[in-house]
Amino acid sequence: MRPFNFEKVKSAAEASSMKSAVSQYIAGGTNLVDLMKKNIAHPEKLIDVTTALSDAVNHQNNSLQIGAMASNSKVVNNREVIERFPLISKAILAGASPQIRNMASSAGNLLQRTRCPYFYDVTTPCNKRKPNSGCSAVEGANRMSAVAGYNNQCVAVHPSDFCVALAALDATVTAQTKDQKEIKIPFKEFHKLPEDTPWLDNNLPQDAIITNIEIPDNSFDKHSAYVKVRDRTSYAFALVSVAAALDLDGKRIKNARLASGGVAHKPWRWFEAEKFLSGKKATVETFEEAAKLATKDLKPLSENGYKIPMLQGAIVTALQNCVNQ
């Protein structure tokens, strides 16, 4: 690991004023420290924000408010989350180990980097690690790679489970810029697709620091499910995952939410399938049609065609689990 300077700050304003191209924020450090050890990230300065940001989790103003420094464990064990936003707790519990959840911050979860093997192998070209060097996974080992929203610049997938649930529930990210201006970014616009800048994971301004995550009240507290398919049931990243939530009137679907991880550079919403489900009866046949609709335009790479039927099955299972609660 390369030498670096370390400074602890006491406020978001102080943190954002110190941010530069050669510095990075550190909270739980569950991803950044690994990247530094592997010589992927090499900041000249680390800015410790653990005492600068709120770790509160509470319900107010018709929404759930999650402070940037709230640990994943604190979120998952919060009564308001469990009772009003159970999809959040189900998604978080599907990811990482208890030890990592104890350390990982909510804002840090949003900012974690991909786990593509080529990103971690510094001997290979990777546009996310070294801009304009190429993407080794396009023609290489791409079993874990994207089936949606990718291009020849990058086929990596976003690793978070928490973010899939946030995408499904239309969360908003609040951040503060260096001039202390507060900005709000709808979650569907927070993460980005590769486009021509695959080394950028999100649309957060460089000088901004996340302060809060907001999830509006919804009617999905009774019927939600998170299905994660992975190589092993212990700590592992998703091959595919599905966050599903239904608002039911008897067996009739009034409203639906459907999002996935493990399929794209960002958490992926199945908007067309959601629209299809609205007004339909909650039956296996309906869910199978929604799954086919969601996957009809996906284009697998050379080694990940298995993800299409796997994703269809996960969508059907997640929607069935919603109904069976």
Side-chain angles (χ1 to χ4, degrees), residues 222-283:
K222 302 299 183 185
H223 303 283
S224 66
Y226 192 79
V227 171
K228 181 178 182 180
V229 185
R230 44 191 161 178
D231 285 324
R232 60 186 188 277
T233 54
S234 59
Y235 174 38
F237 295 99
L239 298 173
V240 299
S241 65
V242 176
L246 297 175
D247 179 10
L248 296 175
D249 181 8
K251 287 293 184 179
R252 183 77 59 182
I253 302 169
K254 295 171 62 179
N255 195 7
R257 298 289 175 82
L258 208 56
S260 283
V263 301
H265 197 256
K266 61 184 288 185
W268 198 257
R269 275 283 290 275
W270 306 108
F271 290 107
E272 191 175 358
E274 291 177 358
K275 185 177 180 180
F276 167 80
L277 287 167
S278 182
K280 302 289 194 307
K281 287 186 177 180
T283 65

Side-chain angles (χ1 to χ4, degrees), residues 21 26 48 60 135 139 172-173 182 186 197 209 213 223 231 237 242 247-248 253-255 268 276 279 295:
I26 187 167
D48 184 342
Q60 60 184 25
C135 176
E139 301 294 338
T172 299
V173 178
E182 183 178 271
T197 54
I209 183 170
I213 303 165
H223 303 283
D231 285 324
F237 295 99
V242 176
D247 179 10
L248 296 175
I253 302 169
K254 295 171 62 179
N255 195 7
W268 198 257
F276 167 80
T295 58

Side-chain angles (χ1 to χ4, degrees), residues 6-303:
F6 181 89
E7 191 158 349
K8 197 177 185 73
V9 294
K10 296 181 180 180
S11 68
E14 185 181 2
S16 59
S17 69
M18 295 175 61
K19 188 70 166 63
S20 70
V22 296
S23 64
Q24 285 190 247
Y25 299 130
I26 187 167
T30 56
N31 186 205
L32 178 56
V33 173
D34 284 344
L35 295 176
M36 293 172 66
K37 288 179 178 178
K38 295 178 181 295
N39 201 31
I40 297 169
H42 26 76
E44 295 180 10
K45 176 185 283 189
L46 289 183
I47 305 168
D48 184 342
V49 297
T50 52
T51 58
L53 304 171
S54 172
D55 68 348
V57 181
N58 53 59
H59 184 266
Q60 60 184 25
N61 301 324
N62 300 314
S63 64
L64 180 71
Q65 305 287 335
I66 301 174
M69 267 308 303
S71 70
N72 286 183
S73 290
K74 183 170 185 176
V75 175
V76 82
N77 291 313
N78 180 273
R79 176 177 290 184
E80 296 281 3
V81 175
I82 294 170
E83 293 181 353
R84 293 173 179 255
F85 306 87
L87 184 59
I88 296 296
S89 59
K90 292 172 182 178
I92 292 175
L93 287 172
S97 64
Q99 294 89 345
I100 290 177
R101 291 197 297 267
N102 287 342
M103 290 296 296
S105 68
S106 293
N109 191 299
L110 274 59
L111 300 174
Q112 63 181 301
R113 306 302 306 276
T114 185
R115 265 52 174 202
C116 177
Y118 294 108
F119 176 71
Y120 277 84
D121 184 353
V122 296
T123 67
T124 62
C126 171
N127 284 325
K128 290 190 75 62
R129 177 172 27 83
K130 185 179 180 181
N132 300 313
S133 63
C135 176
S136 297
V138 171
E139 301 294 338
N142 50 41
R143 174 177 173 270
M144 298 283 289
S145 301
V147 293
Y150 66 85
N151 60 22
N152 286 335
Q153 295 285 321
C154 182
V155 297
V157 298
H158 195 271
S160 174
D161 293 291
F162 181 30
C163 287
V164 179
L166 291 174
L169 297 179
D170 287 327
T172 299
V173 178
T174 302
Q176 183 174 300
T177 61
K178 185 173 290 188
D179 59 4
Q180 299 188 40
K181 178 182 177 182
E182 183 178 271
I183 58 174
K184 290 184 178 292
I185 306 173
F187 204 81
K188 63 182 179 180
E189 300 172 9
F190 183 80
H191 296 101
K192 64 181 290 296
L193 295 178
E195 301 166 330
D196 294 327
T197 54
W199 48 90
L200 300 178
D201 296 331
N202 56 68
N203 292 308
L204 186 71
Q206 182 180 310
D207 68 342
I209 183 170
I210 297 173
T211 56
N212 190 63
I213 303 165
E214 180 180 349
I215 308 170
D217 283 350
N218 58 67
S219 52
F220 302 118
D221 55 312
K222 302 299 183 185
H223 303 283
S224 66
Y226 192 79
V227 171
K228 181 178 182 180
V229 185
R230 44 191 161 178
D231 285 324
R232 60 186 188 277
T233 54
S234 59
Y235 174 38
F237 295 99
L239 298 173
V240 299
S241 65
V242 176
L246 297 175
D247 179 10
L248 296 175
D249 181 8
K251 287 293 184 179
R252 183 77 59 182
I253 302 169
K254 295 171 62 179
N255 195 7
R257 298 289 175 82
L258 208 56
S260 283
V263 301
H265 197 256
K266 61 184 288 185
W268 198 257
R269 275 283 290 275
W270 306 108
F271 290 107
E272 191 175 358
E274 291 177 358
K275 185 177 180 180
F276 167 80
L277 287 167
S278 182
K280 302 289 194 307
K281 287 186 177 180
T283 65
V284 173
E285 292 76 18
T286 297
F287 299 156
E288 289 175 344
E289 287 298 314
K292 291 177 183 177
L293 187 62
T295 58
K296 64 181 176 64
D297 294 325
L298 299 186
K299 297 179 180 179
L301 298 162
S302 58
E303 297 182 0

